[in-house]
Amino acid sequence: MDMKVLLVYFSLGGRTKQVAERIAEGINFPDVTIESFEYTKKSRELIPEQDEIMKGDLSNFKYNESIKDLAPYDLIFYGFPTHGGRPATVFNGYMKDAQNLDGKNFVVFNTCRMFPGKTLEIMQTEIERKGGSIVNKRVFKGFFRIKMSKVENFIEELNQELMKLN
Ligand SMILES: Cc1cc2nc3c(=O)[nH]c(=O)nc-3n(C[C@H](O)[C@H](O)[C@H](O)COP(=O)(O)O)c2cc1C
C-alpha cells in the first residue's frame, strides 16, 4: 500500500518554502500533499502577536483547516523557521488543535541563520506528547542562503530510510 504523505510548512521570507517544496518533490512517494500557513498581516505584526498565536489563535493565518486532522496520513513532515531559538509560534498554535498524531511517523526540519536553539527539540516534544514518533530531523542553517546540496543529501537519506516504512 502506498503511504499518504503530508508536508506542512510556514515561511515568512521564502527560505523554508524553498526547502519544503524541494523535499516534497524529491521524496520517493507518489502521494505527497504540501500545505502551508500564510500570515495575512505585515511580517512585523507577527512578533507582537506571538502570545495569542502560541495559545492557538490562528485567525491571522490562511491555511487549509483539514491539516489539523492527521488521520488520513501515514507520514507527516513539518518545516518551520527558527524565531528566537524556537519554532515560529504558529507551530505551537497549530499543535493545540492538531489531532490523531498517535502512532504516526514524523520528519521535522527547520531553517535558521545561525542558531537553531531548541527549535527541533520543541517540535519533537510536542509531537511525542501527542503520541507521534520522529523518524528523522534536520536543521538547515545559512546566514545568506540555505545550501540546497544539504537539502539534496537529506532527501537521499530519507529515500533510503523511508523505503523501509513503505
Ligand atoms: C522574528 C525572527 C526571529 C529569528 N530568530 C532567529 C534565531 O533565533 N536564530 C537564527 O539562527 N535565525 C533566526 N531568524 C532567522 C530565520 O530563522 C531564518 O532566516 C529562516 O531561514 C527564515 O525562514 P523563512 O524565510 O522561511 O521565513 C529569525 C528571523 C525572524 C524573522
Side-chain angles (χ1 to χ4, degrees), residues 9-19 43 46-47 50 79-86 88 110-117 119 140-143 146:
Y9 71 90
F10 173 59
S11 186
L12 211 50
R15 287 162 43 115
T16 314
K17 178 181 195 306
Q18 188 192 10
V19 174
S43 298
L46 185 67
I47 298 307
Q50 67 182 358
F80 287 76
T82 295
H83 285 175
R86 55 174 329 294
N110 85 285
T111 71
C112 65
R113 285 193 190 279
M114 278 198 289
F115 303 113
T119 306
F140 295 107
K141 202 190 305 190
F143 194 81
I146 308 279

Side-chain angles (χ1 to χ4, degrees), residues 66-94:
S66 74
I67 63 172
K68 287 179 177 171
D69 182 9
L70 283 320
Y73 303 101
D74 306 298
L75 174 66
I76 300 111
F77 286 69
Y78 288 149
F80 287 76
T82 295
H83 285 175
R86 55 174 329 294
T89 48
V90 61
F91 171 76
N92 293 78
Y94 165 54

Side-chain angles (χ1 to χ4, degrees), residues 36-157:
S36 64
F37 290 97
E38 265 176 65
Y39 189 55
T40 57
K41 293 168 85 177
K42 292 241 160 63
S43 298
R44 66 179 139 81
E45 309 274 351
L46 185 67
I47 298 307
E49 284 188 350
Q50 67 182 358
D51 289 349
E52 282 70 39
I53 296 169
M54 280 281 276
K55 286 183 207 146
D57 178 1
L58 302 186
S59 55
N60 292 321
F61 291 87
K62 211 169 76 188
Y63 64 101
N64 185 341
E65 297 258 350
S66 74
I67 63 172
K68 287 179 177 171
D69 182 9
L70 283 320
Y73 303 101
D74 306 298
L75 174 66
I76 300 111
F77 286 69
Y78 288 149
F80 287 76
T82 295
H83 285 175
R86 55 174 329 294
T89 48
V90 61
F91 171 76
N92 293 78
Y94 165 54
M95 278 294 115
K96 289 259 183 280
D97 272 357
Q99 285 170 23
N100 298 316
L101 284 73
D102 201 18
K104 307 279 174 171
N105 288 318
F106 290 80
V107 175
V108 291
F109 62 93
N110 85 285
T111 71
C112 65
R113 285 193 190 279
M114 278 198 289
F115 303 113
K118 293 196 180 309
T119 306
L120 293 185
E121 287 92 325
I122 290 169
M123 291 173 75
Q124 177 157 7
T125 302
E126 288 293 305
I127 289 164
E128 288 176 351
R129 220 162 48 82
K130 295 201 160 209
S133 305
I134 304 293
V135 294
N136 209 331
K137 53 186 170 183
R138 193 60 40 97
V139 173
F140 295 107
K141 202 190 305 190
F143 194 81
F144 297 110
R145 53 186 298 276
I146 308 279
K147 277 207 182 77
M148 291 311 278
S149 59
K150 293 269 161 75
V151 180
E152 295 304 330
N153 292 344
F154 187 48
I155 291 168
E156 214 171 285
E157 187 180 313

